[in-house]
Amino acid sequence: MMQRTAVYPGSFDPVTRGHLDIIQRASRLFDRVIVAAAENPAKQFTFSVSERLRMLEQSVRGLPGVEVDAMGGLIVDYLKAKNAYILIRGLRAVSDLDYEFQMASINRRLYPKVETVFLMPDERYTYLSSSIVKTVARFGAQVDELVPPPACRALARRFRGGRAENSRARRKR
Ligand code: PNS
């Protein structure tokens, strides 16, 4: 029997309830959904790849067919390695389209078999992003309605004291 595998790549820095909404929708459409957290040495992440993976793993527990992995390099190379050609991306608003259209086009050029499937999250999450969540958490406001509990705890640990600089310094000690 053919198993349909979809890959949902992203930074997940940290995973939000918007990402989880997309993961749930994808898990209803495909047999297997690999949530791939990008490891990009050129990009500054707030959370390490192991922290991001742990938050994701704890958040997707119990969702049928969903697994979590780290991904380095190009998405298309990751898809080929997994013998997959379905790429999931969430589209919140028209503002996402420019970047997504560009990415889907280059990915199709690099790997003609790829099919980017855009899923629209619940409208509650239209204005939600990992960056917004970090800004809110950095200034000590509640984020429990925006992110799943594992991400909420990780944000609280990271931004305790209200200043990102403080927590970074604390981590080094
Ligand atoms: O949802 P995000 O955080 O914007 O996702 C960013 C992600 C992981 C999709 C981006 O960093 C990425 O594409 N990384 C891998 C490199 C790649 O294949 N880029 C597209 C073709 S150049």
Side-chain angles (χ1 to χ4, degrees):
M1 194 189 77
M2 199 181 76
Q3 225 204 9
R4 278 201 197 277
T5 302
V7 173
Y8 178 36
S11 304
F12 306 109
D13 189 36
V15 59
T16 68
R17 290 191 187 269
H19 294 131
L20 280 183
D21 181 280
I22 297 293
I23 295 168
Q24 277 161 3
R25 285 171 203 280
S27 84
R28 283 182 226 123
L29 292 173
F30 303 102
D31 304 302
R32 183 177 176 216
V33 176
I34 308 174
V35 182
E39 274 187 288
N40 180 353
K43 194 170 163 185
Q44 277 278 321
F45 294 102
T46 301
F47 296 100
S48 70
V49 70
S50 53
E51 289 173 308
R52 289 180 280 134
L53 286 177
R54 201 175 323 125
M55 281 184 252
L56 277 168
E57 269 155 14
Q58 292 173 354
S59 307
V60 305
R61 208 164 278 162
L63 285 179
V66 177
E67 49 195 272
V68 165
D69 193 14
M71 175 198 79
L74 291 175
I75 297 170
V76 291
D77 290 334
Y78 184 82
L79 283 162
K80 287 175 190 168
K82 293 288 163 184
N83 212 5
Y85 61 91
I86 302 163
L87 200 171
I88 304 284
R89 292 290 288 172
L91 264 192
R92 289 165 295 192
V94 180
S95 52
D96 281 336
L97 195 64
D98 217 34
Y99 173 63
E100 294 302 331
F101 193 82
Q102 191 180 12
M103 204 155 69
S105 311
I106 186 74
N107 285 333
R108 180 177 278 173
R109 182 179 289 257
L110 295 168
Y111 181 26
K113 202 180 166 195
V114 76
E115 227 33 275
T116 303
V117 174
F118 294 107
L119 296 177
M120 193 183 104
D122 188 287
E123 62 195 30
R124 275 179 295 174
Y125 307 124
T126 298
Y127 300 102
L128 180 56
S129 70
S130 298
S131 333
I132 283 201
V133 163
K134 283 183 277 192
T135 306
V136 170
R138 200 172 266 130
F139 292 106
Q142 289 282 89
V143 290
D144 46 322
E145 284 178 9
L146 310 179
V147 296
C152 201
R153 291 193 291 272
L155 284 161
R157 278 196 300 274
R158 180 61 38 92
F159 296 132
R160 206 166 1 198
R163 291 274 302 276
E165 290 75 11
N166 290 348
S167 50
R168 206 169 293 145
R170 201 166 24 236
R171 241 177 22 250
K172 285 203 180 115
R173 271 180 240 142

